[in-house]
Amino acid sequence: MSLVLDPAAQDLLFREARTANTFTDEPVTDEQVQAIYDLVKYGPTSMNQSPLRVTLVRSAEARERLVQHMADGNKQKTATAPLVAILAADNEFHEELPQLFPHFPQAKDAVFGERPVRESSAALNAALQAAYFILGVRAAGLAAGPMTGLDFEGVRKEFLDDDHTPLMVVNIGKPGPDAWFPRSPRLAYDEVVTTV
């Protein structure tokens, strides 16, 4: 059985896509980011909780503050990418549930009244949304450089608050010279999928 999605789109989103390590200086506009969000917001999350929050790092001063919290191998690319996004999980996402999950507004307190339950659910579902975000960046014809090599607590203190947990930093832009490392191997279907 073949996929319905056009092969060129498959390549753009998956087969030819890589984590970018260099970028051109072509800016990423607010309109592009809005278009990315307007696409990826439809990706499913449990009970439509939608806990992902995005902080766009645009100013030189904020960029400098962020670079200080990146691992050494990630500092230069974060310093030079046209746009950097901090992706975080909102641990108070349940406040939006009456609007986002209107057929069960009591879920706010009945399911997510306890902070540890919210944190666990927010981490999983925001990670799903982060993956959608990366695909959305690719769908916009841009390259994404997602990174988890950073001081998470430092980034949280510098840019977020106690109700938000950083998940990753994503550099965004048009790929620059030598942007890609060689494709790393992937596991085969029968190494991943088991039928019982």
Side-chain angles (χ1 to χ4, degrees):
M1 178 179 167
S2 62
L3 299 172
V4 173
L5 188 65
D6 177 80
Q10 295 172 36
D11 288 343
L12 178 70
L13 297 177
F14 295 100
R15 283 191 290 266
E16 298 300 323
R18 304 279 197 286
T19 294
N21 293 288
T22 68
F23 298 89
T24 69
D25 58 4
E26 183 178 329
V28 177
T29 67
D30 289 334
E31 292 76 20
Q32 286 172 299
V33 177
Q34 178 77 50
I36 290 165
Y37 176 73
D38 285 343
L39 176 66
V40 304
K41 69 184 179 184
Y42 294 109
T45 57
S46 176
M47 299 176 79
N48 199 34
Q49 61 190 249
S50 306
L52 182 70
R53 301 296 179 263
V54 180
T55 300
L56 299 178
V57 181
R58 286 207 181 270
S59 74
E61 179 269 332
R63 182 76 60 103
E64 201 172 292
R65 288 170 30 225
L66 177 59
V67 167
Q68 310 241 344
H69 297 290
M70 302 305 295
D72 288 344
N74 293 332
K75 288 181 186 288
Q76 180 62 27
K77 44 192 166 182
T78 302
T80 57
L83 180 62
V84 181
I86 300 168
L87 305 188
D90 181 358
N91 297 309
E92 297 298 310
F93 68 86
H94 69 309
E95 296 295 341
E96 308 296 334
L97 281 180
Q99 171 192 342
L100 295 175
F101 205 59
H103 55 282
F104 183 30
Q106 305 89 333
K108 173 183 179 282
D109 298 312
V111 179
F112 297 110
E114 301 288 330
R115 175 72 179 233
V117 173
R118 289 196 305 274
E119 287 179 352
S120 175
S121 193
L124 172 62
N125 286 281
L128 281 172
Q129 289 186 284
Y132 305 145
F133 183 84
I134 292 165
L135 289 174
V137 169
R138 293 172 176 178
L142 300 169
M147 301 170 296
T148 57
L150 56 111
D151 172 3
F152 286 92
E153 185 58 17
V155 168
R156 187 193 63 73
K157 286 181 179 177
E158 192 77 43
F159 293 96
L160 306 169
D161 59 33
D162 289 340
D163 291 332
H164 294 81
T165 303
L167 301 172
M168 66 183 67
V169 168
V170 182
N171 295 325
I172 304 168
K174 293 282 187 183
D178 301 316
W180 321 115
F181 294 144
R183 168 74 80 193
S184 296
R186 297 298 193 262
L187 294 174
Y189 177 85
D190 59 2
E191 294 176 287
V192 175
V193 178
T194 303
T195 301
V196 294

